[in-house]
Amino acid sequence: MEGEASSPTISAPVYAEEPERWLKLQFTWSAKPFQLDIADSDRVFDLKTAIQNLTRVPPERQKILGLVKGKLPPDQGRISDLRLAPGKKFTVVGTPEGDEIKDPARLENLPDVVNDLDVDFSDNIAASAAYKNDQRNIRKVKEATEKLNVNIIHPLRYGKKLLSVFGMLPLNEVHGLKEYPYVLILQVADQLDLARDQAS
């Protein structure tokens, strides 16, 4: 209509879209080298997710060392705020999903006895006898026994019992101690008896 002022046209500002800046980071986990690409606009959580995709270590178990000085920012923190240099190296520590230590009581089909010996002669009695009667083995044990120097910190007290790997033994039942040089024997001293002996 004539005489009416036309309303001004407001145009939205036009922002030039800047390309995202990508960083190539390097890290080691379990002595293995890895590389990943992360954008400046990504969050710390995105970084942890990328690490999980490479290592199977969930974010809550990841310990990231050497990426920033001090404590890592919260998960919502931007990568750009970390001011990382391209090619930044860091270390990740953590247990992957599925490799956790499991409670043996909850495991099924667990054998009653786990044989962790270096040499297993349980299935071969002849080999076991040959190993025990081998002249070299007998000589080596004898040589080691003769060279052994036992440092007695507290001398044995007769009339008192000993705690050994065999249980409680009276001293008069402990014979041939030199034949077992690697058996650690601990003297069990009752504090009241010890105080009484010192007082007398």
Side-chain angles (χ1 to χ4, degrees):
M1 292 188 173
E2 291 184 13
E4 288 186 9
S6 60
S7 58
T9 304
I10 300 175
S11 59
V14 177
Y15 296 101
E17 286 190 13
E18 295 183 7
E20 283 190 308
R21 179 173 171 257
W22 287 81
L23 293 171
K24 187 177 289 293
L25 304 179
Q26 303 176 41
F27 71 94
T28 57
W29 170 77
S30 191
K32 298 173 188 170
F34 294 89
Q35 283 190 355
L36 61 85
D37 293 324
I38 194 85
D40 259 356
S41 58
D42 282 337
R43 310 282 180 167
V44 172
F45 180 77
D46 298 318
L47 172 66
K48 292 181 178 180
T49 302
I51 292 172
Q52 181 181 14
N53 293 337
L54 293 170
T55 64
R56 295 188 302 112
V57 178
E60 63 272 13
R61 288 194 205 143
Q62 294 175 11
K63 190 172 180 85
I64 299 174
L65 309 172
L67 184 64
V68 295
K69 290 184 179 179
K71 190 176 178 182
L72 194 67
D75 286 350
Q76 63 271 21
R78 285 192 180 275
I79 296 299
S80 58
D81 296 336
L82 303 182
R83 303 186 185 282
L84 301 175
K88 175 72 176 177
K89 296 181 180 179
F90 60 98
T91 303
V92 175
V93 178
T95 304
E97 194 78 43
D99 290 356
E100 305 89 349
I101 297 176
K102 296 179 174 59
D103 183 2
R106 298 183 178 183
L107 294 177
E108 297 179 4
N109 302 322
L110 190 68
D112 293 335
V113 177
V114 178
N115 188 346
D116 61 352
L117 298 175
D118 292 337
V119 181
D120 182 12
F121 291 120
S122 59
D123 293 334
N124 193 336
I125 304 301
S128 176
Y131 188 81
K132 286 192 286 186
N133 297 323
D134 184 272
Q135 292 300 315
R136 177 187 175 277
N137 295 341
I138 295 172
R139 175 172 44 84
K140 289 292 186 181
V141 170
K142 187 176 179 182
E143 289 173 359
T145 302
E146 291 171 352
K147 291 178 183 177
L148 181 67
N149 182 19
V150 179
N151 181 19
I152 300 176
I153 299 174
H154 297 290
L156 302 178
R157 300 188 305 148
Y158 287 92
K160 304 296 178 182
K161 290 189 175 183
L162 294 178
L163 176 64
S164 74
V165 293
F166 305 109
M168 297 292 289
L169 296 174
L171 276 181
N172 59 1
E173 293 182 18
V174 180
H175 301 294
L177 204 55
K178 286 187 177 181
E179 296 176 14
Y180 306 98
Y182 302 109
V183 175
L184 175 63
I185 296 183
L186 303 174
Q187 184 176 9
V188 178
D190 187 299
Q191 294 300 319
L192 295 176
D193 288 347
L194 183 61
R196 186 181 60 205
D197 291 346
Q198 290 174 347
S200 59

